[in-house]
Amino acid sequence: MAASRSSSAGKLTTTQRHQMELERKVGDMLGTFVGLGRHQRSVLLELWREEHVEFLVQKGLRRLGASYSVLDSSRPWLCYWSLHSLALLGESFNLELGDDVIEFLERCQDSGGGYGGGPGQMPHLATTYAAVCALVTLGGAKALGSINREKMLQFLTRMKDSSGGFRLHEGGEMDVRGCYTAIAVAHILGILTPTITYKVNEFVVSCQTYEGGIGGEPGAEAHGGYTFCGLAALILTNQMEGLDLPSLLKWAAKRQGKVEGGFQGRTNKLVDGCYSFWQGGIFPLIQHVIPRLVSQLPVFRNHLLHPADENDVLHMCCKVKTCLESKKTGFVHDNSINSCISGEEDEGTSEPNIQITRTRIEGKESPPIMSAETLFPLKFHGSYQNITDAQQHSTDCFSKEDEQTKHGAAQGLSTFNQDSCFVRPFFNTQALQAYVLICCQVLEGGLIDKPGKPRDFYHTCYCLSGLSTAQHPTWLQAEACPSESDVLGPSCNLLEPTHPLCNVHFERYLEARSFFNDLSL
């Protein structure tokens, strides 16, 4: 996000000032990083696992501070944030701790289905999602068997609105969060019925804005969290019709800060560590629907009037890949992606800007700022040695797409259609990892929103989720190991993979799907 423009009167807005202050703070941290010796830089790029585990267990699951009383209605979330973070860090759960969590969440489960924010509280879709994900993360028959699927289906059905959306609780508000949480829970539990999926597409598409992202409700501003939720809900239900994927991709790609390397949640907002997942997690989902993305590009639409073969699609995929993963620059060239999405050709190319960023403050040029764009340029290192290999894989994956369409949501997408993910991620994964590791870690454990903010379990969870997403860029099968170049810093930084649609530990997700598929309502 550039903050170099001043108002017509030559004065900066409050938003611009805050952006410049953050860029300066992050730039100073990156500048200090560059000036250190190799060993010191290695320490700063290391994920401080032991400290994070101690924070999550001793300060979270075992004993919460008094300040957390304001989250009394979000207690299943506290369980999920802590357990999921520990799972990504590769920690196992002892039997006593697991039993305590199961017993507590059983007291949060409503007799009519769903989970409330605490014992005796009304069931809510958000805390229901959190409780189910926490139990899935624990794994095992006791945890999974504690979920009342029959009552859950009744609860989800009651929350369903005729518009296609979901109310978050009885008589409550209706937004894209409701669609995602309801559908993700139904998907995991194997109760994704036609009633649940009815007209979800219509509601989500009505929330897509002129910018390309998705807002919480029709007419609302595009937001990273809602965009992830909306896109994931449509993929889970196999209802992608009507969603403008090129504009969504363009909007999401522009949310990554050039100086910071992290993501902002909305236009003209500061980067925030939690959007490492909510925004960074959008790109693996787009990888899943590359053929549909390509079919919407203007330069390809003419082919839709006649039978198009795989070569057409492959060439367009390569063009998209070239635009978004250029070897020459650390971030997407606006003119490249614009021309690809609009169908207009560039009039020449410009040299990439790899210089230290300068901003102008009320007409005066500020001192140079070190940027993540400079330190961690995007490098293309695709999975294929040549176009022939990619073409063969492309042909295979497009032939399999028809088979998946036949089965759709009933198949559960349990392997996330791994074969379609042959295009590398559409964002700078190295810069994002640098933001999380250098700017968001607290020495005493836990992760934060941005430098200067306090640590908490929410940001710890989603910073680690985003870090895992960035380390596993091609979303192959769960047991596949990313290449050394995918992981910034020492190899011990590698986290466990999280499922890109549900954000639970990948192997625990597969275990839960298998467990519930063997049950009947």
Side-chain angles (χ1 to χ4, degrees), residues 362-393:
E362 297 181 359
K364 298 179 180 179
E365 192 174 72
S366 68
I369 300 175
M370 185 63 70
S371 71
E373 176 183 39
T374 300
L375 289 180
F376 306 98
L378 183 63
K379 297 178 180 179
F380 173 69
H381 44 279
S383 303
Y384 302 97
Q385 298 299 316
N386 53 55
I387 283 292
T388 303
D389 293 342
Q391 183 171 359
Q392 180 58 50
H393 190 89

Side-chain angles (χ1 to χ4, degrees), residues 1-2 19 23 252-264 271 331 371-373 428 431-432 435:
M1 176 173 60
Q19 175 63 27
E23 287 183 356
K254 286 176 175 289
R255 302 283 72 77
Q256 187 170 22
K258 293 187 176 183
V259 172
E260 310 93 314
F263 281 96
Q264 58 178 187
V271 298
F331 283 74
S371 71
E373 176 183 39
N428 190 324
L432 178 61
Y435 179 72

Side-chain angles (χ1 to χ4, degrees), residues 55 105 154 199 479:
F55 168 67
L105 291 177
Q154 294 176 13
K199 291 175 66 174
E479 60 269 20

Side-chain angles (χ1 to χ4, degrees), residues 472-493:
H472 299 264
T474 52
W475 291 111
L476 301 176
Q477 53 195 8
E479 60 269 20
C481 186
S483 67
E484 183 178 336
S485 60
D486 289 327
V487 181
L488 184 66
S491 59
C492 62
N493 281 0

